[in-house]
Amino acid sequence: MEKLTFYAVSAPEKLDRIGSYLAERLSRDVVRHRSGYVLIAMEALDQLLMACHSQSIKPFVESFLHMVAKLLESGEPKLQVLGTNSFVKFANIEEDTPSYHRRYDFFVSRFSAMCHSCHTDPETRTEIRIAGIRGIQGVVRKTVNDELRATIWEPQHMDKIVPSLLFNMQKTEEVDSRIGPPPSPSATDKEENPAVLAENCFRELLGRATFGNMNNAVRPVFAHLDHHKLWDPNEFAVHCFKIIMYSIQAQYSHHVIQEILGHLDARKKDSPRVRAGIIQVLLEAVAIAAKGSIGPTVLEVFNTLLKHLRLSVEFEANDLQGGSSGSANFNTSSKDNDEKIVQNAIIQTIGFFGSNLPDYQRSEIMMFIMGKVPVFGTSTHTLDISQLGDLGTRRIQIMLLRSLLMVTSGYKAKTIVTALPGSFLDPLLSPSLMEDYELRQLVLEVMHNLMDRHDNRAKLRGIRIIPDVADLKIKREKICRQDTSFMKKNGQQLYRHIYLGCKEEDNVQKNYELLYTSLALITIELANEEVVIDLIRLAIALQDSAIINEDNLPMFHRCGIMALVAAYLNFVSQMIAVPAFCQHVSKVIEIRTMEAPYFLPEHIFRDKCMLPKSLEKHDKNVYFLTNKIAESLGGSGYNVERLSVPYVPQVTDEDRLSRRKSIVDTVSIQVDILPNSIPSDDVVSNTEEITFEALKKAIDTSGMEEQEKEKRRLVIEKFQKAPFEEIAAQCESKANLLHDRLAQILELTIRPPPSPSGTLTITSGHTQYQSVPVYEMKFPDLCVY
């Protein structure tokens, strides 16, 4: 060998003939089963290959590869291993110039077949499989670095290589590597264990993948998992995609996520457990990708997941309708219901993905999900619910709100306007979401996630009388200008939601606990002196509603409202630290403990609590009294004038569009006919002095809102009940005043008509304007134009 090597190095042009001769000899020895001569010939070929690196080695390599192919085709396991070892040595040689005409199709096919060896002897089978894996690894190393020779990434090759590696990886012991990447195999395991060696080769293959060929390497994984039914259970599928996500370059992560979403769409009609397995794989992929670059797939991920959430609910509804309708309903949760596994997996994925997004993207996703929530009677949502029915629609509402709850978890906005913009708050507090107790709970929990910017909610959990609020160590900051503006704009909407939420007949204990937490969080995060007064008015209004009971609520709900009011007033009195207020609240609670314990949360929410037959017989000492609260707060500098005005829920746009339409139109006439109005003779001369206080009152209309409502009510009542002659007389005086005022301001000449049937002529300069009466009245002096 020394002489042959020296001769080949000295005369490289002879390598071609040397290779051809050795190949001819080796072919003959293989056919005649002369294994000794075969070993000698391959040893010679290997040493010549390692020693010579000149350009004339190209023809010699052709002879070498031809002989390796001969060995791989033989049925002898030893010869197959020998040929593989020689090919691996060749693969580790870096050639000076690439050979573009050389192809490795045969070697890919043969090594892949060796990976699936079914030899009867276990040791021999393992040896052949290891040889096949190492051969594939050699092909990859030899071809993958040269872009002009990247035929290895073609689908026909990847469809053989990837399943062969996965087939051997299935023997790997599953390790829960949820915290970090799967552990890399050790050097000793690589040589002995085909599963570990295949995993190492798989990592290396994916690590070399580029933008253009990433998908070709990932798609065969789906085919293998489908063919071997590895989505249920999906431990191996999760293991594979963890390897994929940790092996590829971070900027290509979104390619893998897109492929998983596409496969989920393709398998949307499969069994629920298969879909749940794919979604859980997506969760693991997203968990890894969220730490790096996820590219433009954010909305695509959420859109696809929400679409499959709707499909899952639709399948569930169809199954229930097809089964026995008497025993199946959406309120009972059964572990055997596979569709609920799918839904929970989707919600978990949405929540995990959303919670790992930056704040600006998370707010977009919140709006995106809220836009999907179906609202009865409207078409503002973008989710198709035509096939769901009422129960299915309710189910999808719950699922979407649960998803929203997951996304908003941990969200910390600097200002409440950022967390709860009007475009998000309005649909969130939509009345349609208040028809079911579970929906209302989810809405309140979403609001808590967004309001609680200092992590105080855990300290407020449960509704109870807190002896000393200072022990909770509540964190709070000074209310900023943006938060004050938010409460001026949206405070009445929040109060209305809490007020109506307390009066729902299907409330359970959790509803009252969440409503109490809402009041407490508003007090901590958003309450200045004005908001505190509003919240106390709201609490007193709830107490009055429970006593009067216009809504015919059951006694438990009335006592529950009383307990909620007691818990909140106890909390707010200690938060604002007004001694007289705290003393009044403590005294009422003490009296209730002795005489009416069912008005306290610790008693009413116990399993066996005795309820009173009526609330009318109770002494006023068990109630919180407005006059005493006003007296105690007024002594500490609070503006308590508004406490004397009962709280009335704000009229919403839904009310205006329905039964209150005619009333609102009547009010919009803006004709003041109240008895205490200013006489018409003094109106012209009466001018109001414009001061800072006057402008402040004009801007801050929230304090005058109840007075304005009372004023409007009297206007409506006047039009409905007053004699016609009285209304006509006041309108006539105002019409005359209007004529005079118009002439004075515009310097116009107004000539009234001689009779009601005539026309009114207005002259301005050389131009005359005439108007014909719209209708006539009984009185000739009164005419409307």
Side-chain angles (χ1 to χ4, degrees):
M1 278 306 305
E2 290 179 3
K3 293 181 180 179
L4 180 61
T5 303
F6 176 78
Y7 177 73
V9 172
S10 303
E13 68 275 4
K14 300 294 186 180
L15 270 174
D16 185 17
R17 293 183 60 187
I18 295 173
S20 299
Y21 174 75
L22 287 174
E24 181 182 353
R25 288 290 304 267
L26 192 142
S27 298
R28 187 170 61 238
D29 292 337
V30 168
V31 173
R32 296 178 179 179
H33 300 287
R34 295 177 177 177
S35 300
Y37 291 109
V38 172
L39 294 174
I40 294 173
M42 285 308 301
E43 181 68 22
L45 286 169
D46 289 345
Q47 292 194 25
L48 289 174
L49 194 64
M50 300 296 291
C52 304
H53 294 281
S54 63
Q55 292 185 358
S56 57
I57 200 175
K58 296 291 185 283
F60 176 76
V61 169
E62 297 301 324
S63 300
F64 170 78
L65 292 178
H66 176 70
M67 287 319 305
V68 172
K70 283 284 186 182
L71 293 179
L72 295 177
E73 284 181 331
S74 68
E76 292 290 335
K78 292 183 179 180
L79 296 183
Q80 291 178 355
V81 173
L82 178 64
T84 301
N85 293 336
S86 297
F87 183 84
V88 171
K89 293 176 184 177
F90 163 71
N92 292 327
I93 296 175
E94 295 185 5
E95 300 181 52
D96 296 334
T97 57
S99 178
Y100 301 117
H101 68 279
R102 191 183 304 154
R103 299 185 64 84
Y104 297 93
D105 299 11
F106 168 80
F107 295 100
V108 170
S109 300
R110 191 60 197 159
F111 288 136
S112 298
M114 291 169 64
C115 289
H116 292 84
S117 173
C118 297
H119 199 280
T120 54
D121 181 35
E123 293 184 2
T124 303
R125 181 170 64 244
T126 300
E127 190 177 8
I128 294 175
R129 288 186 179 182
I130 290 176
I133 297 168
R134 294 180 63 233
I136 289 177
Q137 194 172 29
V139 174
V140 171
R141 290 177 178 175
K142 194 65 178 174
T143 61
V144 81
N145 290 328
D146 193 348
E147 294 182 359
L148 297 177
R149 197 175 54 198
T151 56
I152 193 68
W153 295 108
E154 293 178 359
Q156 63 266 29
H157 299 320
M158 286 290 107
D159 290 345
K160 298 174 183 176
I161 292 175
V162 174
S164 300
L165 298 177
L166 296 178
F167 176 77
N168 287 276
M169 285 169 56
Q170 285 177 245
K171 303 291 183 176
T172 306
E173 294 183 3
E174 299 298 335
V175 181
D176 187 11
S177 53
R178 194 179 298 271
I179 299 176
S184 300
S186 62
T188 54
D189 290 338
K190 291 179 184 177
E191 301 297 331
E192 301 175 359
N193 192 339
V196 177
L197 183 62
E199 182 177 320
N200 181 68
C201 182
F202 189 52
R203 293 172 189 269
E204 185 177 345
L205 175 68
L206 293 167
R208 297 172 184 267
T210 60
F211 179 84
N213 49 45
M214 172 61 63
N215 294 341
N216 290 341
V218 174
R219 284 171 185 165
V221 178
F222 293 104
H224 180 82
L225 297 174
D226 289 343
H227 180 71
H228 292 275
K229 299 179 180 179
L230 297 174
W231 295 113
D232 177 32
N234 67 337
E235 287 81 3
F236 180 72
V238 170
H239 184 69
C240 286
F241 277 93
K242 281 185 178 181
I243 293 173
I244 293 173
M245 296 302 295
Y246 280 113
S247 300
I248 62 175
Q249 300 178 47
Q251 64 266 30
Y252 302 146
S253 297
H254 63 278
H255 278 288
V256 180
I257 294 176
Q258 284 177 326
E259 289 294 324
I260 299 175
L261 292 173
H263 195 68
L264 181 60
D265 284 336
R267 303 298 299 270
K268 63 184 179 182
K269 294 185 178 179
D270 279 30
S271 67
R273 291 190 174 273
V274 169
R275 285 182 280 127
I278 299 174
I279 293 168
Q280 288 169 357
V281 167
L282 177 64
L283 171 62
E284 298 293 340
V286 162
I288 299 170
K291 300 174 184 176
S293 171
I294 51 177
T297 59
V298 177
L299 283 180
E300 183 182 354
V301 170
F302 284 98
N303 195 34
T304 302
L305 288 174
L306 293 178
K307 180 177 68 176
H308 284 276
L309 185 61
R310 180 190 61 81
L311 284 173
S312 178
V313 173
E314 184 177 332
F315 292 151
E316 186 180 24
N318 292 337
D319 291 342
L320 290 176
Q321 290 175 1
S324 56
S325 58
S327 59
N329 58 66
F330 281 99
N331 294 326
T332 58
S333 58
S334 172
K335 294 182 180 180
D336 299 331
N337 193 333
D338 294 341
E339 288 297 342
K340 285 187 171 57
I341 299 175
V342 178
Q343 295 160 13
N344 291 332
I346 293 175
I347 291 172
Q348 187 180 7
T349 305
I350 289 175
F352 191 90
F353 195 8
S355 61
N356 280 278
L357 292 175
D359 287 345
Y360 72 94
Q361 278 188 324
R362 200 193 299 203
S363 60
E364 292 179 2
I365 296 304
M366 287 158 49
M367 294 293 299
F368 181 74
I369 296 176
M370 199 66 237
K372 297 283 187 180
V373 177
V375 178
F376 290 108
T378 66
S379 58
T380 55
H381 56 87
T382 58
L383 205 64
D384 181 18
I385 59 170
S386 56
Q387 305 296 324
L388 295 180
D390 289 347
L391 290 177
T393 301
R394 175 190 173 275
R395 183 70 177 165
I396 199 69
Q397 285 177 327
I398 291 175
M399 293 293 109
L400 291 174
L401 287 174
R402 284 180 58 192
S403 304
L404 188 62
L405 182 63
M406 294 282 287
V407 173
T408 55
S409 178
Y411 181 58
K412 295 289 187 298
K414 293 183 178 179
T415 62
I416 196 67
V417 180
T418 307
L420 284 170
S423 55
F424 179 78
L425 183 64
D426 292 341
L428 181 65
L429 299 182
S430 175
S432 66
L433 298 179
M434 298 173 64
E435 295 175 356
D436 181 87
Y437 76 95
E438 190 173 356
L439 291 174
R440 295 196 303 275
Q441 290 175 8
L442 290 170
V443 169
L444 290 171
E445 288 176 339
V446 170
M447 287 176 53
H448 296 171
N449 279 346
L450 299 174
M451 282 186 185
D452 185 22
R453 292 170 287 175
H454 299 90
D455 298 323
N456 292 312
R457 186 173 29 163
K459 304 170 186 176
L460 302 169
R461 185 170 289 120
I463 179 171
R464 65 194 188 281
I465 302 297
I466 303 173
D468 189 357
V469 174
D471 293 340
L472 300 181
K473 297 181 180 180
I474 290 175
K475 300 177 183 178
R476 63 183 307 191
E477 296 177 4
K478 185 178 179 180
I479 309 301
C480 65
R481 183 166 51 87
Q482 292 90 337
D483 291 349
T484 302
S485 176
F486 172 84
M487 288 305 293
K488 285 185 178 294
K489 184 178 180 181
N490 302 295
Q492 294 298 326
Q493 193 176 2
L494 294 175
Y495 305 151
R496 178 180 190 270
H497 184 77
I498 294 173
Y499 181 81
L500 297 179
C502 288
K503 299 171 67 175
E504 294 290 339
E505 292 187 2
D506 60 343
N507 279 342
V508 295
Q509 178 179 348
K510 185 178 180 180
N511 289 86
Y512 293 113
E513 291 178 353
L514 294 173
L515 288 164
Y516 162 75
T517 305
S518 300
L519 289 168
L521 287 176
I522 294 175
T523 306
I524 296 170
E525 299 286 348
L526 303 169
N528 52 17
E529 290 187 4
E530 183 180 338
V531 174
V532 167
I533 295 297
D534 284 338
L535 290 169
I536 294 174
R537 288 175 58 228
L538 174 61
I540 297 301
L542 286 171
Q543 176 182 260
D544 294 343
S545 70
I547 297 172
I548 300 172
N549 197 24
E550 293 179 350
D551 299 306
N552 295 321
L553 293 174
M555 185 56 67
F556 170 78
H557 294 76
R558 296 170 69 184
C559 293
I561 294 174
M562 300 292 282
L564 167 65
V565 172
Y568 174 67
L569 289 179
N570 173 71
F571 176 81
V572 72
S573 64
Q574 296 186 55
M575 286 296 294
I576 63 176
V578 176
F581 186 23
C582 292
Q583 185 177 0
H584 171 64
V585 173
S586 300
K587 184 177 180 181
V588 173
I589 292 175
E590 184 179 350
I591 294 174
R592 286 187 177 186
T593 305
M594 302 297 295
E595 300 180 6
Y598 36 78
F599 286 170
L600 298 176
E602 289 84 356
H603 294 270
I604 185 62
F605 296 124
R606 289 191 311 192
D607 292 337
K608 297 180 180 179
C609 178
M610 298 296 294
L611 298 176
K613 296 182 179 180
S614 67
L615 303 184
E616 287 73 14
K617 298 179 181 179
H618 288 88
D619 187 76
K620 66 177 183 179
N621 292 330
V622 300
Y623 301 127
F624 300 99
L625 303 178
T626 306
N627 57 348
K628 291 192 176 183
I629 294 176
E631 181 182 347
S632 61
L633 293 178
S636 298
Y638 282 83
N639 183 5
V640 295
E641 293 180 0
R642 297 175 60 198
L643 278 177
S644 60
V645 182
Y647 169 78
V648 179
Q650 182 187 32
V651 178
T652 63
D653 291 337
E654 288 82 359
D655 300 328
R656 299 182 194 278
L657 294 175
S658 57
R659 55 190 175 85
R660 292 186 175 87
K661 188 176 191 304
S662 61
I663 297 178
V664 173
D665 288 344
T666 305
V667 173
S668 65
I669 297 175
Q670 296 181 358
V671 179
D672 186 6
I673 62 170
L674 290 178
N676 59 351
S677 60
I678 299 174
S680 59
D681 297 336
D682 301 330
V683 172
V684 177
S685 60
N686 183 23
T687 58
E688 183 180 0
E689 182 181 0
I690 300 176
T691 63
F692 176 78
E693 290 298 326
L695 287 175
K696 183 178 178 182
K697 290 180 180 178
I699 295 173
D700 185 13
T701 58
S702 59
M704 306 298 294
E705 186 175 352
E706 282 72 20
Q707 297 179 12
E708 185 68 19
K709 289 179 180 178
E710 181 66 16
K711 187 177 177 181
R712 290 182 179 183
R713 190 186 66 78
L714 292 175
V715 171
I716 298 166
E717 185 177 354
K718 190 75 174 179
F719 269 103
Q720 292 174 343
K721 298 180 180 180
F724 180 79
E725 291 78 9
E726 182 181 346
I727 297 174
Q730 291 200 21
C731 288
E732 180 182 4
S733 64
K734 289 186 176 291
N736 293 335
L737 174 63
L738 179 61
H739 287 180
D740 298 338
R741 192 76 176 120
L742 187 61
Q744 181 182 359
I745 294 175
L746 301 179
E747 297 181 355
L748 303 177
T749 303
I750 303 177
R751 188 177 75 242
S755 66
S757 60
T759 59
L760 174 69
T761 303
I762 303 177
T763 304
S764 176
H766 299 286
T767 307
Q768 285 191 351
Y769 302 91
Q770 293 184 343
S771 62
V772 180
V774 178
Y775 61 88
E776 300 175 5
M777 292 188 176
K778 296 179 180 180
F779 302 92
D781 296 332
L782 184 62
C783 188
V784 180
Y785 295 86

